[in-house]
Amino acid sequence: MSIFPKRTIPGKTVTIHWNFNTSHLDGAHLYPLVKIGIKDPKNNITMLFEEHVIAFPDQKKSKKESLQKLKYLNKNIPLLVLADYLEGPCKREKLVEILTNIQAGRHYYFTYTIPHDAPLGKYSLISEVHNNGNVKYSKTRLDDHFWVEKISLVTVTGKGKDRTAVIRNHSEERTPVKIVRCSIDLNGHMESEMEAFEMNPKDTKPISISEEKVFLLYNEERETVTLTEEEPIYLVKNHEILSISKKNGLDCLMEKDNDEAYWLSPEAKDLWDKSDGLLSKNSLSEKEKEVLKEMEEQGLIKQTRL
């Protein structure tokens, strides 16, 4: 079996791949009861599939058989499934056998959406094939699991370049994180300094902050937490609108689907240029907030959270 992504957060969905290999059957069909499910960290079980699955014996090899005769329907296996088989010690041992059986096998895909109030930690997959009182388990069961994570900013203390952000791992499992420190020079060029490490279960850790913008990435870098400000609101320009600078020095914005144009005042042009997704709303002056209100009403700038 394979699961992707292997790390997720509450409210998101994981996809589970199960391969039912039937190439070994000889002289008899198989109609077992298949059970596929998920067990959460508190041992609560959610079944995704409980059905009988029919399988037929492979045809006998014949010398007269045409080499061009097809035996299987084409299997469109996602690259993520193949890549997942390359990870983990269990999967390396079974790799040749698994890849050999991929074309002969029958592939099933299940999805599971993690509830918003689900427990954090390690989730295990259940894969059972029941036949004549015997149970066959997944050959990759040692690796058949995924993690549900949550990292949060607890508080920010200090001022200026002597600030400290306190972060917390809410999970019962070790959780990989990455700290990204961004500095911007006078020409607007951004440089990043990065550090990756694992947080211990239920751990709280201080992070020193001297840069203007510092972020924490986790959940395979899909989730971003701002460490310099608690729950900041950022401004981002509407990237579906085209910005045009005229030779006469005037600037306008044009929508793609119609001929409507918005002429920008110098103040609006400045705010448009600065709204790069990392401009905090709290940093605006009162005048800029008035300009922002007008541009929001026109759908030119949007408020967002990372």
Side-chain angles (χ1 to χ4, degrees), residues 20 24-25 28-34 52-53 128-136:
F20 183 37
H24 64 284
L25 296 181
H29 76 286
L30 195 65
Y31 195 42
L33 174 64
V34 177
H52 289 85
V53 177
E128 299 176 353
V129 179
H130 295 255
N131 187 48
N132 289 328
N134 297 315
V135 183
K136 185 176 181 180

Short mmCIF file of all heavy atoms in Angstrom, two decimals, residues 20 24-25 28-34 52-53 128-136:
data_model
loop_
_atom_site.label_atom_id
_atom_site.label_comp_id
_atom_site.label_asym_id
_atom_site.label_seq_id
_atom_site.Cartn_x
_atom_site.Cartn_y
_atom_site.Cartn_z
N PHE A 20 -4.28 -5.16 -5.54
CA PHE A 20 -4.77 -6.53 -5.38
C PHE A 20 -4.14 -7.37 -6.49
O PHE A 20 -4.58 -7.34 -7.63
CB PHE A 20 -6.30 -6.55 -5.46
CG PHE A 20 -6.91 -7.91 -5.24
CD1 PHE A 20 -6.38 -8.80 -4.32
CD2 PHE A 20 -8.04 -8.29 -5.95
CE1 PHE A 20 -6.95 -10.04 -4.11
CE2 PHE A 20 -8.63 -9.53 -5.74
CZ PHE A 20 -8.08 -10.41 -4.83
N HIS A 24 -0.89 -14.77 -9.29
CA HIS A 24 -0.48 -16.05 -8.73
C HIS A 24 -1.57 -17.11 -8.80
O HIS A 24 -1.32 -18.29 -8.52
CB HIS A 24 -0.07 -15.87 -7.26
CG HIS A 24 -1.20 -15.42 -6.39
ND1 HIS A 24 -1.67 -14.12 -6.40
CD2 HIS A 24 -1.98 -16.10 -5.50
CE1 HIS A 24 -2.67 -14.01 -5.54
NE2 HIS A 24 -2.88 -15.19 -4.99
N LEU A 25 -2.80 -16.73 -9.15
CA LEU A 25 -3.90 -17.68 -9.15
C LEU A 25 -3.75 -18.69 -10.29
O LEU A 25 -3.42 -18.34 -11.42
CB LEU A 25 -5.24 -16.94 -9.29
CG LEU A 25 -5.60 -16.00 -8.13
CD1 LEU A 25 -6.95 -15.35 -8.39
CD2 LEU A 25 -5.62 -16.75 -6.81
N ALA A 28 -8.16 -21.77 -10.21
CA ALA A 28 -9.32 -21.45 -9.38
C ALA A 28 -9.43 -19.94 -9.22
O ALA A 28 -8.42 -19.23 -9.24
CB ALA A 28 -9.22 -22.12 -8.01
N HIS A 29 -10.65 -19.48 -9.07
CA HIS A 29 -10.84 -18.05 -8.84
C HIS A 29 -10.77 -17.76 -7.34
O HIS A 29 -10.68 -18.67 -6.51
CB HIS A 29 -12.19 -17.59 -9.41
CG HIS A 29 -13.36 -17.98 -8.56
ND1 HIS A 29 -13.83 -19.28 -8.50
CD2 HIS A 29 -14.14 -17.26 -7.72
CE1 HIS A 29 -14.85 -19.33 -7.67
NE2 HIS A 29 -15.07 -18.11 -7.17
N LEU A 30 -10.80 -16.49 -7.01
CA LEU A 30 -10.73 -16.05 -5.62
C LEU A 30 -11.78 -14.97 -5.41
O LEU A 30 -11.95 -14.09 -6.24
CB LEU A 30 -9.33 -15.51 -5.32
CG LEU A 30 -8.92 -15.32 -3.85
CD1 LEU A 30 -8.86 -16.68 -3.15
CD2 LEU A 30 -7.56 -14.64 -3.77
N TYR A 31 -12.51 -15.08 -4.29
CA TYR A 31 -13.55 -14.08 -3.99
C TYR A 31 -13.49 -13.72 -2.51
O TYR A 31 -14.40 -13.99 -1.74
CB TYR A 31 -14.92 -14.64 -4.37
CG TYR A 31 -16.02 -13.60 -4.44
CD1 TYR A 31 -15.79 -12.36 -5.02
CD2 TYR A 31 -17.29 -13.88 -3.94
CE1 TYR A 31 -16.80 -11.42 -5.10
CE2 TYR A 31 -18.31 -12.95 -4.01
CZ TYR A 31 -18.06 -11.72 -4.60
OH TYR A 31 -19.07 -10.78 -4.68
N PRO A 32 -12.37 -13.13 -2.07
CA PRO A 32 -12.17 -12.86 -0.65
C PRO A 32 -12.92 -11.61 -0.18
O PRO A 32 -13.36 -10.79 -0.98
CB PRO A 32 -10.66 -12.64 -0.56
CG PRO A 32 -10.34 -12.00 -1.88
CD PRO A 32 -11.24 -12.66 -2.89
N LEU A 33 -13.01 -11.49 1.13
CA LEU A 33 -13.52 -10.27 1.75
C LEU A 33 -12.34 -9.35 2.03
O LEU A 33 -11.40 -9.74 2.72
CB LEU A 33 -14.26 -10.59 3.05
CG LEU A 33 -14.72 -9.38 3.88
CD1 LEU A 33 -15.76 -8.57 3.11
CD2 LEU A 33 -15.27 -9.82 5.23
N VAL A 34 -12.39 -8.15 1.49
CA VAL A 34 -11.30 -7.19 1.64
C VAL A 34 -11.73 -6.08 2.59
O VAL A 34 -12.81 -5.51 2.44
CB VAL A 34 -10.89 -6.60 0.28
CG1 VAL A 34 -9.80 -5.54 0.46
CG2 VAL A 34 -10.41 -7.70 -0.66
N HIS A 52 -16.43 -7.91 -0.98
CA HIS A 52 -15.81 -9.05 -1.64
C HIS A 52 -15.30 -8.61 -3.01
O HIS A 52 -15.95 -7.81 -3.69
CB HIS A 52 -16.83 -10.19 -1.82
CG HIS A 52 -17.19 -10.86 -0.52
ND1 HIS A 52 -18.17 -10.38 0.31
CD2 HIS A 52 -16.68 -11.96 0.08
CE1 HIS A 52 -18.27 -11.16 1.37
NE2 HIS A 52 -17.37 -12.13 1.26
N VAL A 53 -14.13 -9.11 -3.38
CA VAL A 53 -13.50 -8.74 -4.64
C VAL A 53 -13.21 -10.02 -5.43
O VAL A 53 -12.57 -10.94 -4.92
CB VAL A 53 -12.20 -7.95 -4.40
CG1 VAL A 53 -11.52 -7.63 -5.72
CG2 VAL A 53 -12.50 -6.67 -3.63
N GLU A 128 -6.65 -5.98 5.14
CA GLU A 128 -6.88 -7.40 5.43
C GLU A 128 -7.63 -8.05 4.27
O GLU A 128 -8.65 -7.52 3.81
CB GLU A 128 -7.69 -7.56 6.71
CG GLU A 128 -7.02 -6.99 7.95
CD GLU A 128 -7.90 -7.08 9.18
OE1 GLU A 128 -9.09 -7.48 9.04
OE2 GLU A 128 -7.43 -6.74 10.27
N VAL A 129 -7.12 -9.19 3.83
CA VAL A 129 -7.80 -9.99 2.81
C VAL A 129 -8.19 -11.31 3.47
O VAL A 129 -7.33 -12.14 3.80
CB VAL A 129 -6.90 -10.24 1.59
CG1 VAL A 129 -7.62 -11.11 0.56
CG2 VAL A 129 -6.48 -8.91 0.96
N HIS A 130 -9.49 -11.51 3.70
CA HIS A 130 -10.00 -12.70 4.40
C HIS A 130 -10.44 -13.75 3.38
O HIS A 130 -11.29 -13.47 2.52
CB HIS A 130 -11.18 -12.32 5.29
CG HIS A 130 -10.82 -11.40 6.42
ND1 HIS A 130 -10.71 -11.82 7.72
CD2 HIS A 130 -10.52 -10.07 6.42
CE1 HIS A 130 -10.37 -10.79 8.49
NE2 HIS A 130 -10.26 -9.71 7.72
N ASN A 131 -9.89 -14.96 3.52
CA ASN A 131 -10.25 -16.05 2.61
C ASN A 131 -10.15 -17.38 3.35
O ASN A 131 -9.09 -17.74 3.86
CB ASN A 131 -9.32 -16.05 1.40
CG ASN A 131 -9.75 -17.05 0.34
OD1 ASN A 131 -10.92 -17.09 -0.03
ND2 ASN A 131 -8.82 -17.85 -0.14
N ASN A 132 -11.28 -18.10 3.43
CA ASN A 132 -11.32 -19.41 4.10
C ASN A 132 -10.77 -19.36 5.53
O ASN A 132 -10.05 -20.26 5.97
CB ASN A 132 -10.54 -20.45 3.30
CG ASN A 132 -11.24 -20.84 2.01
OD1 ASN A 132 -12.48 -20.83 1.95
ND2 ASN A 132 -10.48 -21.16 0.98
N GLY A 133 -11.10 -18.30 6.24
CA GLY A 133 -10.67 -18.19 7.63
C GLY A 133 -9.27 -17.68 7.82
O GLY A 133 -8.84 -17.45 8.95
N ASN A 134 -8.52 -17.50 6.73
CA ASN A 134 -7.17 -16.97 6.81
C ASN A 134 -7.17 -15.48 6.47
O ASN A 134 -8.01 -15.01 5.71
CB ASN A 134 -6.25 -17.72 5.83
CG ASN A 134 -6.13 -19.19 6.17
OD1 ASN A 134 -5.94 -19.54 7.34
ND2 ASN A 134 -6.24 -20.06 5.17
N VAL A 135 -6.21 -14.77 7.04
CA VAL A 135 -6.10 -13.34 6.81
C VAL A 135 -4.72 -13.03 6.22
O VAL A 135 -3.70 -13.44 6.76
CB VAL A 135 -6.28 -12.53 8.11
CG1 VAL A 135 -6.22 -11.03 7.80
CG2 VAL A 135 -7.59 -12.88 8.78
N LYS A 136 -4.73 -12.31 5.11
CA LYS A 136 -3.48 -11.88 4.48
C LYS A 136 -3.36 -10.37 4.66
O LYS A 136 -4.28 -9.62 4.33
CB LYS A 136 -3.47 -12.24 3.00
CG LYS A 136 -2.15 -11.94 2.31
CD LYS A 136 -2.18 -12.41 0.86
CE LYS A 136 -0.85 -12.13 0.18
NZ LYS A 136 -0.86 -12.59 -1.24
#
